[in-house]
Amino acid sequence: MAVLVVDNGSPFVKDITLCLDKIGQDYVLRKYYEDLKISNFEKVILSGRQKYKKEINSANSKIIKTCFANETPILGICYGAEIIALTFGGSIHKTDQVQGLNRIKITFPSILLKETHCNVYESHSYAISHLPENFICIASSASAKHEIFCHSSKRIFGTQFHPEKSGHCGTELIRNFVSL
């Protein structure tokens, strides 16, 4: 089965699909407002977004809750990670615009990354303040406390950065996610 890539209006959606092509992963790209039958997909990737719209939040929260209930693995990228945190009771805060390369430190062993440090690409003006209950921080940086996080027992992951634009480290993270 294919991976569903949910397009939330990020300018980097094409980079997600290029990364999936590079690793030989079948995918289906759909806009957040389309009728998405999650059970038709093996895994879900939520993209970032450029503009705030309540409809995007509502649609993504519904997708996240469906994935949780059906135990469908999900990876949220940037906004996708933020809406995962918010959906389960976490919080976010406004930050100065962060854009460009950043070094993250992996502090908790993970099936997503084996490295202890990675240089990653960031482009965001919000960051996750507090993770929801049952979520674990995997990596942090000087600009974001929760660069990578996961659920303690379900295959739910979030990255504050953009793995699709983060070279080898990002490609490995996406490869490891789709290989779950």
Side-chain angles (χ1 to χ4, degrees):
M1 284 204 298
V3 171
L4 171 63
V5 178
V6 179
D7 181 354
N8 291 308
S10 169
F12 306 136
V13 169
K14 183 68 176 162
D15 296 292
I16 296 171
T17 61
L18 287 171
C19 188
L20 292 170
D21 285 338
K22 180 179 179 178
I23 62 175
Q25 176 62 53
D26 292 334
Y27 64 87
V28 174
L29 177 62
R30 294 283 185 265
K31 300 283 188 185
Y32 70 90
Y33 53 77
E34 292 182 55
D35 185 25
L36 306 172
K37 189 159 174 61
I38 302 299
S39 60
N40 288 344
F41 301 98
E42 186 177 19
K43 295 174 181 73
V44 175
I45 297 176
L46 301 176
S47 81
R49 72 170 184 198
Q50 273 190 309
K51 296 181 180 161
Y52 173 80
K53 289 184 182 176
K54 280 186 179 179
E55 306 83 47
I56 297 176
N57 290 354
S58 177
N60 277 269
S61 284
K62 182 179 175 186
I63 293 164
I64 293 162
K65 289 174 185 175
T66 301
C67 288
F68 183 85
N70 295 344
E71 301 205 6
T72 303
I74 186 167
L75 172 64
I77 296 173
C78 194
Y79 160 77
E82 294 162 9
I83 195 65
I84 287 172
L86 290 170
T87 298
F88 291 111
S91 61
I92 64 173
H93 65 276
K94 184 101 170 103
T95 65
D96 292 332
Q97 177 69 30
V98 177
Q99 189 152 13
L101 290 178
N102 195 6
R103 186 169 174 84
I104 65 169
K105 180 179 179 183
I106 291 99
T107 54
F108 190 84
S110 166
I111 56 177
L112 291 185
L113 285 175
K114 305 298 180 218
E115 290 85 351
T116 58
H117 293 84
C118 286
N119 292 321
V120 299
Y121 181 81
E122 308 223 36
S123 180
H124 58 88
S125 55
Y126 286 88
I128 298 161
S129 304
H130 300 287
L131 289 175
E133 188 176 337
N134 297 316
F135 281 80
I136 300 164
C137 181
I138 295 172
S140 60
S141 73
S143 65
K145 186 175 170 183
H146 306 291
E147 287 284 0
I148 307 173
F149 64 86
C150 68
H151 190 274
S152 61
S153 62
K154 300 211 180 229
R155 296 180 297 177
I156 302 172
F157 303 90
T159 66
Q160 186 68 71
F161 63 93
H162 289 271
E164 72 277 18
K165 295 194 63 69
S166 296
H168 174 75
C169 219
T171 301
E172 281 307 299
L173 185 146
I174 291 173
R175 182 190 321 272
N176 291 337
F177 171 73
V178 301
S179 297
L180 292 174

